[in-house]
Amino acid sequence: MRGRHSAPDIPFLGRSFALGRFDGKTALVTGASRGIGRGIARRLAHDGALVAVHYATSQDAAQEVVEEIEKDGGQAFAVGAELSDVSTVEAMFGALEEELEKRTSATSLNILVNNAAVGGPPTLPEDVTPELFDRYYAVNARAPFFVAQRALALIPDGGRIVNISSGITRSSQPDQIAYAISKSAVDQLTLHLALHVAPRGITVNTVAPGRTNNQSPIFSNPKAVEQMAQMSAFKRVGQPEDIADVVAFLASADSRWITGAFIDATGGTLLG
């Protein structure tokens, strides 16, 4: 692991920050094979954490993230689970514990980032099917709850849970109603779980991205990107690193006095 006091600053996608913040810490980032989750996994690893890179179906993409982290001098490994099926959560944690034991001689998990989610094309309320609603709810609401429930057996006192929600839960977009409902459940997970685990010094917070480049095909369309950029006070779309920086703060000791919070990371999209 890196030296806490002697490590230099290094560039991370155009910026710099001190290494070593998470030396000796372990983290699980769900949905980390691409997009925001990939950015979070890379940032936590750059800051010294041993990161479990979760994927649902794309093992190759997850392994690429692991290789990127290792190339940069960090530590990571991949774990897979299709979280729409809650029965896979236990198997994922079994693999996680095995890797942690192998690498650290313990199974402690210091940081959990519930990032995995599914979305879809605009769908008006009258067109939402039970199957679509159930798919959103299974991955975006039910899975984070049971992942957090299982993780609490591994998280030591003073640990961190960060749940990734969406700015859409604080605005109105009727053609995303099913997605917004499922993400609103994440906000409630944070609020209630934060009070429950506070006696252990564990913090639980929500980060809500706005329009962020998650490598979906729409972000290769310049016209669409320009339209999305106009929604932000800064007139640009977010990048995964914008969200990863916020998550890294909430995962650190610096955020010890913040819990149950909803952090607007939409680039000012909700201002007006």
Side-chain angles (χ1 to χ4, degrees):
M1 305 293 281
R2 302 180 179 91
R4 184 177 302 277
H5 300 293
S6 60
D9 287 356
I10 65 168
F12 180 59
L13 301 183
R15 297 164 297 109
S16 64
F17 53 89
L19 291 174
R21 176 188 280 185
F22 299 124
D23 278 1
K25 304 293 187 181
T26 59
L28 167 63
V29 183
T30 66
S33 64
R34 68 179 183 93
I36 291 173
R38 172 180 172 271
I40 294 169
R42 291 191 64 199
R43 176 59 197 267
L44 296 180
H46 266 284
D47 279 11
L50 167 61
V51 179
V53 176
H54 162 264
Y55 65 92
T57 58
S58 184
Q59 183 176 6
D60 289 345
Q63 191 57 41
E64 287 179 6
V65 177
V66 170
E67 291 170 1
E68 289 173 354
I69 288 171
E70 292 177 339
K71 182 179 179 181
D72 290 338
Q75 300 180 79
F77 59 89
V79 290
E82 174 48 77
L83 294 179
S84 61
D85 180 359
V86 76
S87 69
T88 66
V89 170
E90 186 58 40
M92 178 181 71
F93 273 92
L96 174 70
E97 290 175 336
E98 182 177 344
E99 284 289 341
L100 291 177
E101 177 71 32
K102 182 193 309 181
R103 294 164 180 263
T104 70
S105 300
T107 57
S108 294
L109 179 67
N110 304 102
I111 302 162
L112 168 64
V113 182
N114 265 319
N115 168 75
V118 294
T123 307
L124 291 170
E126 56 268 29
D127 297 323
V128 174
T129 64
E131 292 77 17
L132 178 64
F133 189 95
D134 288 349
R135 170 67 173 164
Y136 283 160
Y137 205 81
V139 178
N140 300 350
R142 187 177 64 192
F145 176 86
F146 285 104
V147 169
Q149 181 192 68
R150 179 63 174 81
L152 283 173
L154 305 180
I155 296 177
D157 292 356
R160 299 286 187 263
I161 298 175
V162 182
N163 297 316
I164 307 301
S165 179
S166 171
I168 203 171
T169 69
R170 303 297 172 94
S171 60
S172 180
Q173 191 172 336
D175 61 8
Q176 291 290 347
I177 186 170
Y179 176 78
I181 289 172
S182 68
K183 279 298 191 177
S184 293
V186 173
D187 302 345
Q188 291 299 308
L189 171 62
T190 289
L191 187 65
H192 296 281
L193 193 59
L195 186 60
H196 181 64
V197 300
R200 294 178 53 194
I202 298 170
T203 66
V204 187
N205 291 289
T206 289
V207 174
R211 299 286 185 170
T212 305
N213 186 350
N214 61 3
Q215 299 178 309
S216 295
I218 193 171
F219 287 96
S220 63
N221 182 331
K223 184 176 180 180
V225 170
E226 179 59 28
Q227 290 176 340
M228 289 186 282
Q230 298 311 305
M231 301 175 68
S232 163
F234 302 116
K235 304 307 178 188
R236 70 173 177 85
V237 298
Q239 297 300 320
E241 297 75 35
D242 295 320
I243 310 306
D245 287 350
V246 179
V247 172
F249 165 70
L250 291 174
S252 76
D254 294 340
S255 69
R256 61 193 174 278
W257 205 235
I258 302 173
T259 197
F262 177 95
I263 307 298
D264 177 351
T266 67
T269 298
L270 304 182
L271 290 177

